[in-house]
Amino acid sequence: MKNLSILEIQLLSRKEKKAKKVTFDSRRTLILGKNHTGKSSLMKSIYYTLGAEPQFHPKFKSAQAASKLTINVDGRILQVIRDGKVFGVFDEFGELLQKYDSVSKGLGPFLSNILNFKPLMQTSNKEFVVPPPAFLFLPYYIDQDESWSKSWASFLRLQQIKDYRTQMIQYHSGIRPNEYYATKKEVEESLKIIEEIDKDRRVTNNILKELKEKISQTNFNIDIDSFKNEIRDLLVECESLKKKEEALKERLLDLYNIKATIESQLTIVKHSILENHKDFVFASADIPHVVDCPTCGAQYENSFTERFEIANDEQTGTDLLIELSKEFKDIEFNIAKENDSLTRTSSEVQKIEGILEQKQGEVQFKDVIDNYGKNQVHELFKERIAGLNETLHSQVSGLDQLKSRLKGLENKERKEEIVGLFITSMGRFLRALDIHSLGEDDYKAITVKIESKETGSSRPRALIAYYYAFFTLMKKYSTTTFCPIIIDSPNQQDQDIEHIDKIMDFINHNQPKETQMILGLAETYGVDFDCKIIDLTEKYSLLQKDEYEVVNAEMGDMLNKLWFN
């Protein structure tokens, strides 16, 4: 299996003009500092840089620090920078290799490939994905906030993976290695292919059945020449009717124009009659025989002769109105007559076109039957179905092999071996930490929630035993990269001095071989951890002003490449 080690971390807050740089030993580094000196923030920044989401203290978050982590993956040096939601992966010489603005679609897949972390797990949306980096680091990080009361809970947003705890235990313990998930993916893809082939086969069978029924009901003794003559006659008749239809449309257009003219004339005559009637009424009224014009002052005689002429004009208009009304009714009658004729003609055209379409369709169907023949069509579909059956058989055979391989990757003997080592390790570690209240029945299942088995000051010690039992399993059986073990503040629940000594001694002497550990302590309790020590002394300020210039000079060029390349 691969190994990941952390070489260095740099934190840079341009907002506060402060920074921090820490170099780690390849075997063990002790971060020593009283409460509120930044031990936890320093450790959490490691995972934050790699795309996980620990819970930071609000004061540290407010500094908006960019971070750079230098790591070694089996001899390959990489530098990862995170500034807000933007990530950059650089080589050991500071050249930008990749830039991402997403964990799930960017940095996560990159790290999964580099660190050989490739389990396929179902999300809450029922999609199968390779989980984000937090799920790789989960068993290696014992944080001070959650890990001493609840296992497998060091990061935020873990619920995005359905039943994540059980799935990650099966993966990290080695019960389900990377090959299991790769094979499972092949099984899922094979099942989809088989489903599509079977669907295609059923559809083809139905088409063949329907085609057989149609062929058996069809009279194929059709005279093609007779069809052609009949269609030609229909085309001639249809063309004649279409010409008639166009002529009727033109006549209707003329009639509608005449109708519009008569309507206009009727309006004018009606208006003229109305005006003449008003003049006659006025002239017949009891007024003088001589009338002065109110406009020009001239005098006009109001005589019988003039009144008679007005009356005569009114009668003439009435006669004209009657005549125009008769013409209007004649035009409307002619329009209705022509419309009926047009409707019948259009109906005949449509009928003939329908017959033509049907006849031409019959000829095309006959042509197909003549070209292939009833037996040829039948054989064509039989060959198609035979090909699908052969492909389906091949796919099913391949699926059986995949299922057999999948079963072999999760075989009973392997699982029993892994669970056996877990039980043995748990018993040994519990005794070393002075926990005698738990028997094998309490942790015979590898998915046990050990925190539910103990309370008070015994719980943190039981959890340490549980975590170290998993380190043992992962070291022997895991197929992914073994990551640094990071333990933050193991002195929990007011341990008495005897048990503090046991905890410190256990951590000191049970670190798996060829692994890296970063340990955060408020004090050593006189234990010599034989390792590099990083002293944190200033409260509420992990970042330091006197380190700003150096860190800014080292990170500045890479940050510029990250943002401006």
Side-chain angles (χ1 to χ4, degrees):
M1 66 185 306
K2 288 185 175 182
N3 279 284
L4 165 68
S5 61
I6 300 168
L7 305 182
E8 181 184 89
I9 188 169
Q10 294 184 10
L11 303 172
L12 177 67
S13 172
R14 287 177 168 173
K15 176 184 176 182
E16 296 184 353
K17 304 297 181 185
K18 293 181 179 181
K20 189 68 181 179
K21 176 179 177 180
V22 175
T23 303
F24 299 96
D25 182 74
S26 61
R27 175 179 169 270
R28 185 185 294 172
T29 302
L30 175 59
I31 310 297
L32 188 63
K34 300 295 183 182
N35 291 338
H36 308 299
T37 55
K39 298 188 302 297
S40 297
S41 295
L42 179 63
M43 295 175 179
K44 289 176 179 180
S45 295
I46 292 171
Y47 295 109
Y48 175 77
T49 309
L50 294 173
E53 296 295 335
Q55 181 67 55
F56 282 108
H57 191 280
K59 182 173 175 59
F60 182 79
K61 286 180 67 175
S62 68
Q64 300 176 12
S67 56
K68 184 187 79 169
L69 193 70
T70 305
I71 60 176
N72 183 337
V73 183
D74 276 4
R76 182 182 180 184
I77 307 299
L78 293 171
Q79 301 179 81
V80 183
I81 283 185
R82 179 171 184 174
D83 192 2
K85 294 184 178 180
V86 178
F87 300 86
V89 180
F90 297 78
D91 64 16
E92 61 182 306
F93 305 107
E95 293 301 319
L96 181 64
L97 302 177
Q98 299 289 342
K99 176 180 176 180
Y100 305 107
D101 57 9
S102 167
V103 174
S104 59
K105 297 181 180 179
L107 182 68
F110 175 85
L111 291 177
S112 293
N113 185 55
I114 294 294
L115 302 177
N116 198 33
F117 177 64
K118 299 178 180 180
L120 283 173
M121 296 185 180
Q122 194 173 19
T123 68
S124 55
N125 296 327
K126 298 184 178 180
E127 297 179 59
F128 282 91
V129 299
V130 175
F135 293 87
L136 167 60
F137 305 130
L138 191 56
Y140 298 97
Y141 179 38
I142 306 172
D143 76 308
Q144 72 165 351
D145 298 318
E146 296 289 341
S147 298
W148 299 113
S149 59
K150 185 179 180 182
S151 58
W152 301 86
S154 304
F155 300 108
L156 302 175
R157 295 193 281 276
L158 296 173
Q159 301 299 331
Q160 62 185 291
I161 298 297
K162 185 179 179 181
D163 192 20
Y164 82 90
R165 190 180 187 277
T166 300
Q167 293 203 68
M168 295 315 303
I169 286 172
Q170 290 174 330
Y171 175 72
H172 282 292
S173 65
I175 290 175
R176 290 181 175 178
N178 274 321
E179 292 78 11
Y180 172 87
Y181 295 95
T183 304
K184 186 177 180 181
K185 182 179 180 181
E186 290 185 59
V187 168
E188 295 294 331
E189 291 173 346
S190 181
L191 284 170
K192 288 182 180 178
I193 293 172
I194 288 171
E195 184 180 351
E196 289 298 319
I197 294 173
D198 189 52
K199 181 180 177 181
D200 192 1
R201 185 180 64 166
R202 290 197 306 270
V203 170
T204 305
N205 268 321
N206 289 337
I207 292 173
L208 180 58
K209 181 180 178 181
E210 185 178 343
L211 185 61
K212 283 180 178 179
E213 292 176 355
K214 288 184 177 179
I215 290 174
S216 65
Q217 297 170 4
T218 304
N219 177 17
F220 297 105
N221 299 318
I222 299 173
D223 186 348
I224 296 297
D225 291 333
S226 175
F227 259 101
K228 290 179 180 179
N229 292 333
E230 186 177 353
I231 289 172
R232 185 181 60 248
D233 293 341
L234 287 169
L235 286 171
V236 171
E237 185 177 353
C238 184
E239 186 64 26
S240 174
L241 287 170
K242 283 186 176 181
K243 289 180 180 179
K244 180 180 178 182
E245 185 179 35
E246 290 301 319
L248 286 169
K249 288 179 181 179
E250 290 180 5
R251 289 175 61 185
L252 273 171
L253 180 60
D254 291 340
L255 289 172
Y256 276 114
N257 286 334
I258 295 171
K259 179 182 176 181
T261 301
I262 294 173
E263 284 179 329
S264 177
Q265 291 174 350
L266 281 168
T267 300
I268 293 171
V269 172
K270 287 177 182 178
H271 180 73
S272 175
I273 291 172
L274 180 61
E275 291 300 319
N276 285 333
H277 181 71
K278 289 179 181 178
D279 290 342
F280 178 76
V281 171
F282 177 76
S284 300
D286 187 14
I287 56 176
H289 291 285
V290 178
V291 181
D292 294 328
C293 176
T295 303
C296 62
Q299 292 184 335
Y300 297 92
E301 186 178 357
N302 181 21
S303 64
F304 171 79
T305 303
E306 292 174 349
R307 287 198 298 270
F308 178 79
E309 289 178 357
I310 292 172
N312 191 44
D313 290 339
E314 183 178 355
Q315 183 60 47
T316 302
T318 301
D319 294 339
L320 180 58
L321 180 62
I322 292 170
E323 182 180 346
L324 287 172
S325 296
K326 289 180 179 180
E327 292 180 12
F328 185 79
K329 287 184 178 180
D330 291 341
I331 286 295
E332 284 191 324
F333 175 80
N334 290 333
I335 287 174
K337 182 179 177 181
E338 295 297 329
N339 265 325
D340 288 342
S341 180
L342 178 62
T343 299
R344 289 193 300 272
T345 303
S346 297
S347 177
E348 290 179 15
V349 169
Q350 291 177 359
K351 183 177 179 180
I352 291 176
E353 287 179 340
I355 294 171
L356 278 170
E357 184 177 353
Q358 180 181 356
K359 291 295 184 181
Q360 289 173 332
E362 289 175 1
V363 172
Q364 290 170 0
F365 182 68
K366 172 60 179 169
D367 289 339
V368 171
I369 298 301
D370 285 344
N371 288 334
Y372 294 101
K374 289 183 287 185
N375 291 332
Q376 289 175 305
V377 173
H378 182 265
E379 290 300 319
L380 180 66
F381 278 92
K382 281 182 63 177
E383 289 176 9
R384 171 65 176 163
I385 292 171
L388 289 171
N389 284 335
E390 185 178 347
T391 304
L392 187 62
H393 177 75
S394 175
Q395 286 292 330
V396 171
S397 177
L399 178 62
D400 290 340
Q401 293 177 14
L402 288 171
K403 286 182 176 179
S404 177
R405 190 201 311 170
L406 189 67
K407 186 177 180 181
L409 290 168
E410 197 183 20
N411 65 72
K412 184 179 179 181
E413 292 77 13
R414 176 185 172 87
K415 183 176 181 179
E416 287 179 351
E417 181 181 328
I418 292 172
V419 173
L421 179 59
F422 172 75
I423 293 172
T424 302
S425 300
M426 277 293 295
R428 179 161 55 91
F429 295 155
L430 285 169
R431 288 190 294 272
L433 289 161
D434 198 24
I435 301 290
H436 302 285
S437 57
L438 299 179
E440 284 191 8
D441 286 345
D442 293 306
Y443 48 82
K444 64 182 179 181
I446 199 169
T447 56
V448 62
K449 293 185 177 180
I450 202 69
E451 59 269 23
S452 67
K453 303 294 183 178
E454 283 288 357
T455 60
S457 63
S458 296
R459 178 182 288 173
R461 285 180 281 133
L463 283 165
I464 292 176
Y466 176 78
Y467 295 138
Y468 270 74
F470 250 89
F471 297 153
T472 304
L473 294 184
M474 291 188 293
K475 189 64 178 172
K476 185 171 183 178
Y477 295 106
S478 178
T479 55
T480 188
T481 300
F482 199 95
C483 299
I485 298 167
I486 298 182
I487 304 175
D488 188 6
S489 306
N491 182 18
Q492 298 286 324
Q493 297 291 342
D494 296 324
Q495 303 288 327
D496 57 42
I497 190 63
E498 179 185 354
H499 287 143
I500 291 175
D501 288 343
K502 287 186 179 295
I503 291 172
M504 296 303 165
D505 185 69
F506 181 87
I507 291 173
N508 194 16
H509 292 99
N510 288 280
Q511 178 181 342
K513 292 180 180 180
E514 299 178 354
T515 63
Q516 182 184 32
M517 177 183 285
I518 299 171
L519 178 62
L521 295 176
E523 56 180 299
T524 63
Y525 299 96
V527 176
D528 181 9
F529 286 94
D530 186 27
C531 67
K532 179 177 183 176
I533 298 176
I534 305 297
D535 276 310
L536 302 179
T537 57
E538 187 175 344
K539 283 195 172 186
Y540 306 108
S541 187
L542 170 64
L543 307 181
Q544 301 292 308
K545 288 184 178 180
D546 59 3
E547 295 190 47
Y548 179 77
E549 293 300 330
V550 173
V551 174
N552 188 45
E554 293 185 18
M555 287 182 63
D557 183 53
M558 296 172 74
L559 283 169
N560 288 338
K561 289 179 181 178
L562 179 65
W563 284 106
F564 302 115
N565 274 12

